[in-house]
Amino acid sequence: MNEQNNIPQPPYYSVESIAQRRAEKKEEILRSKARIQNLTQELFAPQKSKNQMDNMMQHINAGIAAYDGLMTGLKILRRVRGFFSRNKKY
């Protein structure tokens, strides 16, 4: 009978304690979200240009990167279309 008496009782949760814990967790999630947003902004924000030449070079580099991405996407699209539209001879 001692074994049955040693079984731990589940903790008692009141509506107030659940509401308080929920509010704490919601606040923790909001803080975490703000921290993640700040980190991603710092990681992906363009560098601050020190003078007019740096600013112009930054725009040129962004344009070249956009053009390169577009051309790569078009090449991939053409290959995929060509792969599916070929008449296969067996």
Side-chain angles (χ1 to χ4, degrees):
M1 297 257 180
N2 278 344
E3 291 178 15
Q4 288 181 352
N5 292 339
N6 289 338
I7 297 174
Q9 294 293 326
Y12 175 74
Y13 293 109
S14 66
V15 175
E16 292 84 16
S17 67
I18 293 172
Q20 180 183 2
R21 186 169 170 111
R22 182 173 184 253
E24 290 170 358
K25 291 298 177 182
K26 189 172 185 178
E27 184 179 322
E28 183 181 336
I29 289 171
L30 290 175
R31 283 195 312 262
S32 178
K33 180 180 176 183
R35 190 177 71 229
I36 289 171
Q37 285 176 341
N38 288 337
L39 285 174
T40 53
Q41 252 182 349
E42 289 176 15
L43 286 174
F44 296 108
Q47 295 177 351
K48 305 282 186 203
S49 58
K50 296 177 181 92
N51 55 32
Q52 193 69 20
M53 188 65 170
D54 284 344
N55 194 18
M56 186 175 68
M57 289 304 294
Q58 188 175 1
H59 286 294
I60 290 171
N61 284 336
I64 291 171
Y67 174 78
D68 187 42
L70 181 67
M71 293 308 292
T72 303
L74 286 174
K75 287 179 184 178
I76 291 171
L77 184 64
R78 286 181 189 150
R79 288 221 175 172
V80 169
R81 281 186 177 172
F83 179 75
F84 286 113
S85 67
R86 285 190 192 143
N87 293 332
K88 294 183 180 178
K89 296 179 182 177
Y90 290 102

